Amino acid sequence: MRMIQLKNLLRMLDEKSSIFAAALAKDLRKPNQEALCLEVDYLKNDVRGCINNIGDWTQDNYVEKNILTLLDQTLVHYDPLGVVLIMGAWNYPLQLSLAPLAGAISAGNCVIIKPSELAPETAKAIADLIPQYLDPHCFKVVTGGIPETTELLELRFDYIFFTGSSTVGKIVREAANKHLTPVTLELGGKSPVYICDSADVEKTAKRLVWAKLINLGQTCIAPDYVLCSKAMEQKFISKAQELVKEWYGEDPQKSSNLCRIVNRRNFDRLADILKNTKGTVIGGRMDKDDLFIEPTMITGIDAQDSTMQVELFGPIMPFITVKNKEEAVEFINARDKPLSLYVFTNNKDVSALFKEKTSSGSMVINDAIVHLSVDTLPFGGVGPSGMGSYHGKFTFLTFSHQKSVLVRDFSGFGEMLGASRYPPYSDNKIKTLGFLVKNRKIPGFVKWVPYLSCFLAGGAAAVMYKYMANMYNLDMPDWF
């Protein structure tokens, strides 16, 4: 059943990719390459990973034992949680609605999918196509806005998976608490960048400008602000300006390779940030009717600037100069833990410092965003940037209950091992139990003692049987 649903989901993505790409273009004017590579094909790979590995993921996981349980089976069995709610986000409305779905299916759950109403064309495509490919008794799509979402959150689910803003995430968490429902909250925050003076300026600029401007900056792990020396700031900005002109032309608004801001409310929010900044704005041209803001860099600011108060979620990149790596670490640690952290350096000591002395949901050295392509890495926030994680097997585990199982037989030897637990109690029994359950590293050969004992006992029984048969002239089977 699970494999059938996963294959049907993959078939839907194969057969209807053009429909999804068209919907994404209408919602966000998303370029075809971004729609296919960052949403449709991303999902295909995620589903393929589930199909390729579901057989291994669902196997019981046998775990270490103590001396008292050497003859027993001790394992973790993966149960479905039940009926789960997945709430997608508008910035990657296809990917963020259906990537958790693949893992939820792999774990054996029934799913209610709530795509974002702020990307209505993609939500409609999901609602129209899911019933055509997946079992309608197990998988439902609910569309609508705040009233429908509020009504959904009044229901009791076995798990809620939410991607979106911290503000709405708090509402979801509060609603889940009424039913003691566990949640994953994929939120966001201001993901910082530190550029060391040793970094390759050209490659750093290419990777950061690309990461910042896909989806026009509306990515939860987009580089939010840059920490670097004044010298590096000048070199980076000069190279970034060249790249913007090379990639998007003299007038980026005319480029087919840039998205648009999702709606006027978000446009006005970004416009207010630019209006109130105290820094020097490089770029900043806006067209409200077209929901377009050109790639913008801002220098000469401090931590109190308007650009540093909230997650930007747009094509705006502020720069704050620091004297050294230690000052950068101190600046990052003085703020909420980010969803991602990006460090560009040729110095291993610098990358080690940030890895060991900062806390973030994820970290990438000398690139940005590309870690999402690796499904063997968990993705999720820490602190205000979120809770829980997913991708690949981690999604399967998120939607599974890891049930502890111990299997014991009625053998006399096993009963003898555990006899000290029975009354009447005594000091000697306390010592015996303490020895048997003491947490210790059991040598590898000891783990085979029960099996070796059974083998030897079986061999001894065979020898004894043959001896008795010869002694009493008993008939023996031909195969013995």
Side-chain angles (χ1 to χ4, degrees), residues 158-446:
D158 295 296
Y159 201 91
I160 297 176
F161 191 107
F162 169 80
T163 304
S165 69
S166 297
T167 300
V168 180
K170 292 176 183 178
I171 296 172
V172 172
R173 177 72 183 275
E174 184 177 355
N177 284 345
K178 295 177 182 178
H179 301 293
L180 296 180
T181 300
V183 298
T184 288
L185 300 178
E186 294 291 342
L187 306 177
K190 296 181 74 64
S191 295
V193 178
Y194 175 67
I195 307 176
C196 177
D197 284 343
S198 69
D200 183 310
V201 177
E202 182 174 358
K203 292 184 177 67
T204 298
K206 281 184 176 180
R207 296 169 188 181
L208 271 182
V209 171
W210 170 81
K212 183 64 175 179
L213 295 182
I214 55 172
N215 215 35
L216 204 62
Q218 299 165 113
T219 304
C220 62
I221 53 171
D224 191 276
Y225 65 93
V226 176
L227 301 169
C228 63
S229 68
K230 191 64 179 178
M232 176 55 74
E233 175 188 279
Q234 293 171 347
K235 288 187 286 187
F236 179 92
I237 289 176
S238 176
K239 191 62 189 178
Q241 287 176 304
E242 292 177 16
L243 289 170
V244 169
K245 186 179 294 186
E246 177 186 342
W247 292 351
Y248 307 111
E250 292 288 344
D251 185 357
Q253 187 172 358
K254 295 179 181 178
S255 173
S256 61
N257 297 316
L258 285 173
C259 290
R260 291 301 184 266
I261 303 303
V262 67
N263 54 33
R264 292 197 169 216
R265 182 170 62 85
N266 279 277
F267 181 95
D268 290 340
R269 178 185 62 81
L270 291 167
D272 285 342
I273 289 173
L274 286 177
K275 178 182 177 181
N276 294 316
T277 182
K278 306 299 183 186
T280 301
V281 177
I282 303 168
R285 188 170 58 85
M286 296 178 283
D287 184 341
K288 188 170 184 177
D289 292 334
D290 194 30
L291 296 176
F292 179 78
I293 298 176
E294 74 172 323
T296 302
M297 292 174 282
I298 301 175
T299 63
I301 65 166
D302 57 25
Q304 284 68 51
D305 191 74
S306 62
T307 58
M308 294 301 298
Q309 304 314 305
V310 294
E311 181 181 7
L312 292 172
F313 228 63
I316 302 168
M317 183 177 283
F319 287 74
I320 293 180
T321 57
V322 292
K323 296 176 182 177
N324 49 47
K325 59 185 182 298
E326 289 80 13
E327 185 179 346
V329 167
E330 183 179 350
F331 188 94
I332 292 167
N333 288 341
R335 282 150 187 82
D336 287 343
K337 296 177 180 180
L339 188 52
S340 283
L341 167 64
Y342 305 116
V343 177
F344 290 81
T345 181
N346 266 323
N347 188 324
K348 291 184 179 180
D349 291 338
V350 173
S351 57
L353 174 71
F354 281 85
K355 183 177 69 174
E356 295 167 5
K357 299 299 182 181
T358 64
S359 177
S360 56
S362 55
M363 179 179 175
V364 181
I365 308 296
N366 294 330
D367 214 323
I369 292 184
V370 294
H371 56 304
L372 292 191
S373 66
V374 185
D375 68 0
T376 50
L377 290 174
F379 175 74
V382 57
S385 59
M387 61 180 66
S389 63
Y390 74 124
H391 286 179
K393 185 176 182 179
F394 300 99
T395 316
F396 170 81
L397 293 175
T398 288
F399 289 108
S400 298
H401 169 61
Q402 300 180 53
K403 181 166 65 180
S404 302
V405 178
L406 186 146
V407 181
R408 172 167 289 174
D409 61 23
F410 292 107
S411 71
F413 184 68
E415 181 67 12
M416 180 187 70
L417 277 177
S420 297
R421 61 181 164 162
Y422 300 135
Y425 300 142
S426 67
D427 291 341
N428 188 51
K429 288 183 176 180
I430 293 173
K431 292 179 181 178
T432 300
L433 284 173
F435 171 79
L436 291 174
V437 301
K438 182 178 180 180
N439 196 325
R440 56 168 64 84
K441 186 68 175 178
I442 300 177
F445 74 88
V446 176

Side-chain angles (χ1 to χ4, degrees), residues 145-161:
I146 294 176
E148 290 79 9
T149 303
T150 302
E151 189 173 348
L152 267 179
L153 289 174
E154 291 175 354
L155 303 176
R156 180 171 186 165
F157 290 94
D158 295 296
Y159 201 91
I160 297 176
F161 191 107

